[in-house]
Amino acid sequence: MEDTNKKIQVRRIFDSISHRYDFLNHFLSAGIDFYWRKKAIKLSKMNKDSVLLDLACGTGDFAITAKNSGVQKIFGGDLSFKMLSLFGKKVDWINGKMLETVAEHLPFHSNSFSNITVAFGVRNFYDIPSAFTEFHRVLVNQGKATVLEFRLPENKIVRNFYMFYFNKILPLIGRIISKDQEAYTYLPESVGEFDKKVDIVKIFTECGFAKVNKHSLTFGLVQVVIAEK
Ligand SMILES: C[S@@+](CC[C@H](N)C(=O)[O-])C[C@H]1O[C@@H](n2cnc3c(N)ncnc32)[C@H](O)[C@@H]1O
């Protein structure tokens, strides 16, 4: 069942913070997000022949990293028109190759892409199994879906520091800079809830993916899950 409320809430949040998104993203992660994206692309073994659909592409940082790593055919999709507009202003090669879409219903033919990537987006999907079923459909055989996502670290000390940062510091700075009351409170809430309730590996397997591997980065702060059709 489609969770219309979540879809509307998420679109509203990203439309509202879009103009500050890049700055806040790099500032709040101290730039380490660049390393995470690069590493996810390396682990997915993409190359110049890959045909990539970057979903929840937002302002395009993942797609741009893929381009800089040699991937030439790149498409982008996102729920938020304002995030996409900023992507189009950053690089001209994406214009005509990005569209406003939800991950849960993809307007592409089956077997169209060798790779799908989602960086920090799956947590916001309103129906993850539907999205992963769509990924399976539009990927070619042996194509790969790569998910980069936050998680709660297992190590207690790192976890406590993380909780403090995410629950206290991040909402405060986020609120002041983005001037959105809800957005940076929603982020830590959604990370905690997501970690308790969602097993990405299990959902990929249930959606028909043949092989699923999970990698942990930076003291377990983020995970990279790679699922092969
Ligand atoms: C945290 S941003 C990540 C942007 C980009 N991938 C990055 O690494 O910076 C999450 C993006 O997911 C998009 N999004 C959320 N739910 C979505 C859905 N169901 N389908 C497509 N995009 C979605 C939002 O509009 C937002 O641009």
Side-chain angles (χ1 to χ4, degrees), residues 80-145:
S80 158
F81 175 75
K82 288 201 175 167
M83 294 287 275
L84 285 170
S85 319
L86 289 167
F87 187 4
K89 281 187 190 143
K90 268 184 183 168
V91 290
D92 56 10
W93 50 259
I94 197 65
N95 289 311
K97 288 193 189 160
M98 62 177 177
L99 76 168
E100 201 178 327
T101 181
V102 289
E104 290 82 352
H105 298 281
L106 294 174
F108 298 105
H109 293 298
S110 302
N111 308 309
S112 297
F113 301 97
S114 67
N115 292 82
I116 292 179
T117 49
V118 187
F120 310 112
V122 166
R123 198 180 60 238
N124 302 303
F125 288 176
Y126 59 84
D127 185 344
I128 300 172
S130 293
F132 287 5
T133 304
E134 278 289 81
F135 292 5
H136 192 270
R137 182 183 66 78
V138 302
L139 279 171
V140 297
N141 276 340
Q142 296 179 326
K144 286 179 190 156

Side-chain angles (χ1 to χ4, degrees), residues 163-183:
M163 296 293 276
F164 177 73
Y165 182 72
F166 263 70
N167 288 325
K168 305 280 180 217
I169 311 283
L170 188 141
L172 184 71
I173 301 175
R175 206 162 39 237
I176 293 168
I177 296 179
S178 78
K179 303 208 167 34
D180 188 292
Q181 292 300 320
E182 188 187 12

Side-chain angles (χ1 to χ4, degrees), residues 6-7 10-11 13-15 17 21-22 25-26 33 37 54-63 77-81 83-84 90 101-106 117-127 131 148 150 186-187:
K6 180 159 182 183
K7 185 163 94 181
V10 166
R11 181 186 281 133
I13 286 176
F14 284 101
D15 274 347
I17 63 169
Y21 177 80
D22 280 351
N25 217 13
H26 309 321
D33 57 314
R37 291 188 186 89
D54 184 33
L55 273 169
C57 64
T59 57
D61 279 353
F62 202 93
D78 198 283
L79 169 74
S80 158
F81 175 75
M83 294 287 275
L84 285 170
K90 268 184 183 168
T101 181
V102 289
E104 290 82 352
H105 298 281
L106 294 174
T117 49
V118 187
F120 310 112
V122 166
R123 198 180 60 238
N124 302 303
F125 288 176
Y126 59 84
D127 185 344
L148 176 62
F150 284 111
Y186 163 81
L187 180 71

